[in-house]
Amino acid sequence: MTEVNAEATIGQAAGRGQIVAWGLWDWGSSAFQAVILTFVFSVYLTDKVGDDLPGGINASSWLGWAIATAGVIVALTAPISGQYFDASARRKRALAVLTALTILAMTGLFFVHDDYNDLWLGLALLAFGSTVFELAGVPYNAMLRQVSTPATVGRVSGFGWAMGYFGGIFLLLICYFGFIAGAGDNRGLLGIPTDDGLNIRLVAILAAVWFAAFALPVLLSVPEIPRTGADPGAASAGFLGSYRVLWRDLRELWAADRRTVGFLLASAVFRDGLAGVFTFGAVLAVRVYGIADSDVLLFGIAANVVAALGAVVAGRFDDRVGPKAVIVVSLVSMLIWGVVLLFVSGPVLFWVFGLLLTVAVGPAQASARSFLARLAPPGREGQLFGLYTTTGRAASFLAPALFGFFVWVFDAERAGIVGLLIVLAVGLAVLIPVRGPDTSFDPEV
């Protein structure tokens, strides 16, 4: 295969249709993240399948360990995977294979019946699906450089994040009203029987079909990257040799431009704080601010909508003033509204200031992706986004640990907000000294 200059891969598929196709993968992938892993199937697995599990360890603990195992595998393999995908010119092929494996795992969940003997199959499929899904995010994020130009990377990243938010909301509503809502032996508008967990098992099939349908456009419209000489030896290094190549590249990055390493550290911290806002938001809404259980889903939908809209709007500012400014403003605003939430009470004020806080989550996430895309050496985006995944995994204990610590120390769930604010503040402090990427371009482009 003839090698080309790595610069040629930038913006090679930046047509409007290709950008939409890229964003549709995010729309479809929310089927795994929102429906399978977070809100529907994981709950079925712990509350139904494993509710009568014998022994002293409950199903929730087993689920936590299964997902943690997947996280360790991802953290260890993401950088060398992205490195290999790029060096061997197999970025799109890797996305296709990893997406297909995720869909197969989701489809297999249909065979997890409401029987504790099936818990192990469910855990294995969830862990495997989580592993390949997160690894699929590495070549997908690396494609951002292909489907955008230096003038549009911010708004394209914001568009992708917004598609993910809206896709998750839309599918959750379909699942809830079509398969889950109501009481009795038949649920949802479709009247699906609940016997043996059939309604939830069919949700898994729907989610798999949803992901497959919306993943196809990017695979059909965005071309494979050409082979480049950006990372010598990476394509033929072998498994253990890939870590030597990775270490060599990290030393070169440290010597040439330390801001990449600084940003990876800062983003790992503040992204965990962003995740913590959504992870513990529902708990705080009910336990501290008096939101009714039935209204939590409505708040969750509203929070995702404003975060998505924030990502779209902030994307244009990202392209004009740079991603660092967007992230800093987002984190500062979250700290302000978080402090306000410490002192207010009642559902109405939680709706107001909670949504003001979450509107900044989308811009911070989208601009973090565009920040790294701008910094990544051409032809090595996969390697950098693999490191982005790994560092995020390494810091993923911070928000949960500090949330729990402050709740324990002050014996008040409201105090957990302080833990989340500390994580966001530390991430901001680490980010401030990091020089932002160059964004010189014609703003009329």
Side-chain angles (χ1 to χ4, degrees):
M1 183 184 293
T2 304
E3 289 187 355
V4 303
N5 189 309
E7 296 281 350
T9 63
I10 298 176
Q12 69 168 175
R16 182 169 297 178
Q18 292 165 318
I19 292 170
V20 171
W22 180 80
L24 285 173
W25 190 93
D26 240 331
W27 172 284
S29 69
S30 60
F32 182 81
Q33 189 67 45
V35 175
I36 301 298
L37 201 58
T38 305
F39 292 110
V40 180
F41 204 88
S42 60
V43 176
Y44 164 72
L45 203 61
T46 55
D47 290 358
K48 299 295 184 182
V49 179
D51 64 339
D52 54 352
L53 183 69
I57 302 176
N58 63 33
S60 295
S61 295
W62 284 113
L63 175 63
W65 294 336
I67 300 303
T69 301
V72 171
I73 295 171
V74 170
L76 292 175
T77 59
I80 62 168
S81 297
Q83 172 182 285
Y84 175 75
F85 301 154
D86 285 353
S88 61
R90 294 176 178 173
R91 181 184 291 171
K92 186 171 78 167
R93 182 185 301 182
L95 179 62
V97 171
L98 292 167
T99 298
L101 290 174
T102 306
I103 292 166
L104 283 174
M106 296 164 71
T107 303
L109 293 172
F110 177 78
F111 301 100
V112 179
H113 301 87
D114 188 1
D115 182 336
Y116 71 80
N117 291 302
D118 284 358
L119 176 66
W120 315 113
L121 173 61
L123 291 173
L125 289 171
L126 273 187
F128 177 75
S130 181
T131 300
V132 292
F133 174 74
E134 289 206 46
L135 289 176
V138 174
Y140 174 74
N141 285 330
M143 275 186 176
L144 174 59
R145 205 73 169 287
Q146 292 173 257
V147 298
S148 66
T149 67
T152 63
V153 62
R155 73 193 76 169
V156 172
S157 181
F159 168 73
W161 271 108
M163 289 290 280
Y165 281 125
F166 284 128
I169 294 167
F170 197 71
L171 183 56
L172 279 172
L173 289 174
I174 292 174
C175 293
Y176 178 75
F177 289 108
F179 297 80
I180 300 172
D185 295 334
N186 296 281
R187 299 292 180 86
L189 296 175
L190 299 177
I192 305 297
T194 60
D195 184 52
D196 207 22
L198 179 62
N199 63 324
I200 304 300
R201 291 159 50 214
L202 286 175
V203 163
I205 296 295
L206 172 63
V209 172
W210 179 278
F211 194 2
F214 291 108
L216 280 176
V218 71
L219 302 175
L220 296 174
S221 63
V222 176
E224 183 62 272
I225 57 168
R227 189 184 292 274
T228 74
D231 203 6
S236 57
F239 182 74
L240 293 178
S242 294
Y243 288 99
R244 289 192 291 271
V245 173
L246 177 64
W247 180 243
R248 178 202 69 192
D249 291 346
L250 286 174
R251 292 200 309 268
E252 291 177 356
L253 277 175
W254 181 257
D257 191 357
R258 296 185 181 182
R259 62 181 169 169
T260 302
V261 178
F263 176 72
L264 287 170
L265 294 175
S267 69
V269 177
F270 73 68
R271 282 187 292 137
D272 189 49
L274 299 176
V277 169
F278 276 102
T279 300
F280 299 106
V283 175
L284 293 169
V286 174
R287 304 279 294 177
V288 176
Y289 297 96
I291 297 285
D293 290 350
S294 57
D295 291 338
V296 170
L297 178 61
L298 295 177
F299 180 82
I301 291 172
N304 278 275
V305 168
V306 298
L309 294 176
V312 172
V313 173
R316 294 192 171 273
F317 288 98
D318 180 310
D319 289 329
R320 292 179 178 275
V321 301
K324 180 180 176 180
V326 173
I327 298 170
V328 168
V329 170
S330 298
L331 295 179
V332 169
S333 68
M334 291 181 73
L335 290 171
I336 292 171
W337 303 127
V339 170
V340 172
L341 281 170
L342 278 172
F343 298 99
V344 301
S345 297
V348 173
L349 291 179
F350 179 78
W351 271 90
V352 173
F353 294 107
L355 291 180
L356 284 172
L357 187 146
T358 55
V359 74
V361 174
Q365 290 174 320
S367 288
R369 179 163 64 181
S370 74
F371 194 118
L372 188 60
R374 295 179 194 272
L375 286 184
R380 285 170 53 189
E381 293 89 355
Q383 181 190 68
L384 268 292
F385 275 107
L387 287 167
Y388 186 72
T389 300
T390 293
T391 53
R393 274 289 179 179
S396 62
F397 69 94
L398 290 172
L402 285 177
F403 181 89
F405 175 76
F406 278 91
V407 171
W408 171 67
V409 168
F410 292 96
D411 193 25
E413 285 164 306
R414 182 189 294 267
I417 297 173
V418 177
L420 301 180
L421 295 179
I422 288 175
V423 176
L424 293 172
V426 171
L428 175 62
V430 178
L431 175 66
I432 286 175
V434 179
R435 182 167 56 89
D438 297 329
T439 55
S440 55
F441 59 91
D442 180 357
E444 296 303 319
V445 175

